[in-house]
Amino acid sequence: MKTALKYIALFSLLALGACSSVNKDIQIDAQADPKISFDGYQSYAWLASSEIVYDPDGQWEPKGMDIDSEVRFVINDNLRKRDMIEVVENPDMYVVFAAGVDMAAMGLKENPETKQEMMMNVPASGLAVGFIDADTGYLIWRGVAEGEAVGDRDLKDTRKRIEYAIKKMFKKIP
């Protein structure tokens, strides 16, 4: 399990940085250990450290929404669609996620008046999901979604973005 914690720390660092028009800015990447057959994984458990980075000032998490719960719900739903079962003891793999936002991120954005690209503040968000083999403690799959962080999105749009990102990530599981 100590090995798994090392991978979680590394994985968490990868997570931070950061279809419909509400999702057009979301970029997805995923990688799997090429030696692993996912057919052998039938059960999973949550690693306790899975969470969204704390947002005490409410800069990006919509008021009234528990994004941790939303992310867990969507991941659970997608794993169930793959015929996986959540267990309390002796899982085949552990699931972990981390997310964060960089409200000071800069990037090129088109000025609507001049139509030229200018360096502007473009808050960035990132969500990373990983699977860790329960026997070896090695990271066997990870998916990352990055997009713009917009603090004034409504609850429906935020839910759509979470569902879109996780569904796209999970399509990349071999």
Side-chain angles (χ1 to χ4, degrees):
M1 194 62 178
K2 287 183 182 179
T3 305
L5 294 178
K6 289 179 190 175
Y7 283 100
I8 293 164
L10 175 63
F11 178 75
S12 295
L13 290 174
L14 291 173
L16 297 173
C19 136
S20 81
S21 61
V22 75
N23 300 323
K24 69 182 179 187
D25 63 296
I26 298 175
Q27 300 294 313
I28 305 292
D29 182 41
Q31 294 180 348
D33 182 334
K35 298 175 284 204
I36 299 295
S37 168
F38 283 88
D39 293 337
Y41 293 90
Q42 298 174 357
S43 65
Y44 69 96
W46 284 95
L47 209 53
S49 63
S50 296
E51 63 183 33
I52 301 295
V53 172
Y54 184 55
D55 181 27
D57 299 324
Q59 292 183 18
W60 57 273
E61 187 171 35
K63 294 196 184 334
M65 182 176 225
D66 180 354
I67 291 194
D68 289 310
S69 294
E70 281 297 319
V71 170
R72 280 181 186 259
F73 176 84
V74 175
I75 291 173
N76 280 329
D77 185 51
N78 279 272
L79 288 171
R80 286 183 183 111
K81 287 176 182 172
R82 294 184 64 87
D83 292 326
M84 295 196 71
I85 299 168
E86 183 178 2
V87 296
V88 179
E89 294 179 349
N90 301 318
D92 296 324
M93 70 178 191
Y94 291 100
V95 178
V96 62
F97 74 88
V101 173
D102 180 359
M103 293 305 286
M106 300 295 285
L108 292 176
K109 212 169 181 183
E110 185 178 287
N111 181 326
E113 295 171 9
T114 65
K115 303 293 183 204
Q116 293 181 332
E117 287 192 332
M118 300 178 60
M119 185 65 78
M120 301 175 85
N121 176 248
V122 183
S125 62
L127 170 66
V129 179
F131 302 154
I132 299 168
D133 183 274
D135 292 331
T136 66
Y138 290 121
L139 184 67
I140 56 172
W141 179 87
R142 66 109 181 127
V144 177
E146 296 177 351
E148 290 182 20
V150 180
D152 61 353
R153 287 195 197 276
D154 67 19
L155 298 178
K156 265 184 150 172
D157 282 352
T158 301
R159 181 174 286 126
K160 284 180 189 176
R161 289 173 64 79
I162 291 169
E163 289 172 353
Y164 172 85
I166 293 170
K167 184 176 181 179
K168 285 291 221 184
M169 272 188 233
F170 277 50
K171 282 185 177 181
K172 295 182 178 264
I173 298 171

